[in-house]
Amino acid sequence: MSDTQLTRPDEAIALRLIQAIRADAEVRCAPDQVDLVSVTFDVAAAGAEPSALSYKPRVDRKTRTILFTGGSAEGTRGIVMTATAVYRITPQA
């Protein structure tokens, strides 16, 4: 089963959005590890098809130990969801 079969559309969008944000965080912080500390989602519009959206991560600020990041899920009618996230950066041993 796919994530859209197990969840409501807004939950599937949130899942895909945080996956895009985390993938970007891992690339930007490599070879260090990132661990999610907190995440907040804001829904701007309901009823969008998760697979029809584009997911755009962004970095707000990065320190040696913390990454402040986020992103948006956008469709043809604009942004349907935004997220902000904080990751702890753990240096590779």
Side-chain angles (χ1 to χ4, degrees):
M1 295 185 120
S2 73
D3 58 22
T4 55
Q5 291 173 322
L6 297 173
T7 60
R8 296 174 46 135
D10 56 342
E11 294 165 341
I13 293 168
L15 177 61
R16 289 178 182 207
L17 180 54
I18 196 62
Q19 288 172 333
I21 292 168
R22 182 178 185 88
D24 184 63
E26 288 174 343
V27 168
R28 291 177 185 264
C29 295
D32 299 333
Q33 180 177 331
V34 294
D35 297 301
L36 185 63
V37 174
S38 70
V39 64
T40 302
F41 295 98
D42 293 305
V43 179
E49 173 58 39
S51 62
L53 302 175
S54 61
Y55 299 87
K56 300 178 181 180
R58 70 169 195 287
V59 169
D60 296 323
R61 191 172 69 138
K62 180 182 179 215
T63 70
R64 258 186 29 247
T65 57
I66 299 290
L67 178 68
F68 299 90
T69 186
S72 60
E74 301 177 20
T76 57
R77 295 183 182 196
I79 294 174
V80 298
M81 184 178 290
T82 60
T84 56
V86 177
Y87 286 93
R88 179 178 32 258
I89 302 169
T90 306
Q92 185 181 27

